[in-house]
Amino acid sequence: MFDDWDESLRYIPRNSDHECIHRSLFVLPAPHTWEHVPGVTLLGAAAHLMPLAGLGANLAMLDGTDLAHALATESSVDDAVRAYESIMLPRSIEAATGSAKGLENQPSTLTQTAPEQGKRQSAAGVLEVLAALRGG
């Protein structure tokens, strides 16, 4: 599994007290978007999964800031959600597309696209559940 790694990186897997457990990364297709649900949205990894890109925490904090600003300045929660999504979605599409391109250079055994059922239950499914919980 590590044959194509540089020799300096093979020390830990070769000398570990435990067997290496191969765990695939499952990713959503890029771009990943959803139809607006009044008064409900997603942020951070729930809105845009960024494996191996090093952007996840930064984008989550930016999402939180943008959503808070929209909630403080827009006339309604739904207007705030729309304003936030109009900023966040294009930004996350760009980042997710870059992340997906980076994954193309990884061994095929490392990454897999989420199963079709998982795709359907992603953002749209979460938004439906959240809308139902808030009574809308």
Side-chain angles (χ1 to χ4, degrees), residues 3 17 24 29 65 88 104 107 114 131:
D3 293 341
D17 292 340
S24 295
T65 301
M88 181 274 299
E104 291 173 4

Side-chain angles (χ1 to χ4, degrees), residues 73-96:
T73 58
E74 296 294 330
S75 60
S76 71
V77 171
D78 191 49
D79 288 344
V81 167
R82 286 182 185 279
Y84 159 71
E85 289 177 347
S86 73
I87 296 168
M88 181 274 299
L89 285 171
R91 175 178 61 223
S92 67
I93 288 170
E94 180 180 352

Side-chain angles (χ1 to χ4, degrees), residues 38-83:
V40 180
T41 194
L42 301 172
L43 63 133
H48 42 71
L49 183 59
M50 301 289 153
L52 303 178
L55 297 173
N58 294 319
L59 287 174
M61 290 187 292
L62 191 54
D63 289 350
T65 301
D66 289 341
L67 181 57
H69 181 264
L71 287 166
T73 58
E74 296 294 330
S75 60
S76 71
V77 171
D78 191 49
D79 288 344
V81 167
R82 286 182 185 279

